[in-house]
Structure formats: structure tokens, C-alpha cells
Amino acid sequence: LNAFEEISSQKIANSGKTSDGQPVDVVKVIKMGLYGLVLSGPLSHYLYEMLDKLFGERAGAVVTLLKILASNLVLAPIQNLVYLVAIGVIRQLTSEEMSAHVRSTFWPMMKQTWLIFPVVTAVAHCVVPSAMHVPFYTMIGFGFGIYYNVTSRSARKSIDTEHED
């Protein structure tokens, strides 16, 4: 899914072409696919599996609220930090650039996460069967990833344009 997310965000942000005129940056698509396969997929799976085991099949408003808090205050920061570092590695940032990248994007990303995912988590725990939580979160994350990639690409293009002037 991360490879498809990368293709989609490249197409949206780049009006169908990369900076060198190619339809997509195939190397980055492969790297994002490997990130999803090796790191993000297993990490998400085990984090949400642990959350489900922690709370079990208990239901109710208090349990749902606790799951939302745990998901947003523990799982989301881990996943977002891993994502930002992976993006930095894929972009081949130096350690200084990586640090600046994470410092400048982590909190805005967490704020977006906290706006979107409490509702997603509430829906998941009230409507979606436990066995379907990981696929449900994966699909929501897919959309969130495209949104984040498109907005960050647009921001980088804007900064690059300002530096050219």
C-alpha cells in the first residue's frame, strides 16, 4: 500500500509528472513499498494487535475513550516518528537535515493526527469488528499518507521556489 500511496501522491502533487518529466519516481516508489512491507506494516499490525489485546473485547464508552487515548498518545507518536525518519532516510537527508525535518514536521503531523484519528478510532471500536481493525486503520492511513505526502511536497516546492527568487 505504501508504494500505491507514493504513486498516488506523486501523481496528485506533480500533475502527473516528476521534476525530470517521468510519470513517477520509480526508485522512491520501490523504497516506499519496502518501507511498508518491512517496517510500517509489521509495526502497525503489532501495535494495534497489542492495543486490542490490552483492552480485549470489553466494550463501553469508557473503554472506547481509553482506546482512543492510548492510540493517539502512544501508538500515533511512534508511527509518525518512524514514518518521518523513514522519509528522511529515503530522501537521503544528512543527520542535521533529518533532525530539522523531524523537528519541523512532527508536531504539525501529530496535530493533524489528533484531529482525524480520534474519530477514526471511535468508529473502529464502536462499529468495526476487532479482526478488521488493522485493515481499517491501514486504509485510513493510506488516505492520510496521500494527504500528508501531497501537502509536504507542495510545501517543499513552495520553499524551493522562494529560494530560486
Side-chain angles (χ1 to χ4, degrees):
L1 273 176
N2 288 90
F4 293 122
E5 178 185 305
E6 182 60 30
I7 291 168
S8 300
S9 63
Q10 283 185 31
K11 290 287 190 178
I12 293 167
N14 299 325
S15 302
K17 300 280 185 192
T18 61
S19 59
D20 61 358
Q22 298 300 313
V24 294
D25 180 345
V26 176
V27 172
K28 188 163 183 197
V29 169
I30 291 169
K31 288 177 180 180
M32 287 302 294
L34 288 171
Y35 158 75
L37 181 69
V38 174
L39 190 57
S40 175
L43 177 65
S44 294
H45 174 78
Y46 289 113
L47 287 174
Y48 282 103
E49 192 173 86
M50 287 185 333
L51 185 66
D52 284 340
K53 284 181 182 177
L54 178 66
F55 290 98
E57 293 297 322
R58 290 178 275 173
V62 173
V63 172
T64 300
L65 180 61
L66 291 173
K67 286 179 179 180
I68 291 169
L69 288 172
S71 177
N72 283 280
L73 297 177
V74 179
L75 276 56
I78 294 168
Q79 290 174 300
N80 287 348
L81 185 60
V82 168
Y83 176 79
L84 291 173
V85 170
I87 292 299
V89 169
I90 288 169
R91 288 177 53 205
Q92 299 178 331
L93 300 179
T94 66
S95 58
E96 293 83 17
E97 292 169 330
M98 175 80 73
S99 179
H101 167 68
V102 170
R103 275 195 317 273
S104 69
T105 56
F106 180 74
W107 286 114
M109 187 178 208
M110 285 306 304
K111 288 175 188 174
Q112 290 174 344
T113 299
W114 289 333
L115 286 174
I116 296 166
F117 280 92
V119 174
V120 170
T121 305
V123 168
H125 292 289
C126 292
V127 179
V128 179
S130 290
M132 297 303 295
H133 282 184
V134 171
F136 177 75
Y137 287 121
T138 300
M139 293 311 297
I140 298 297
F142 178 76
F144 184 70
I146 290 172
Y147 170 78
Y148 176 76
N149 280 331
V150 169
T151 57
S152 66
R153 273 188 174 81
S154 297
R156 281 197 311 272
K157 280 183 185 178
S158 175
I159 291 170
D160 291 344
T161 303
E162 287 176 11
H163 288 278
E164 289 173 2
D165 293 340

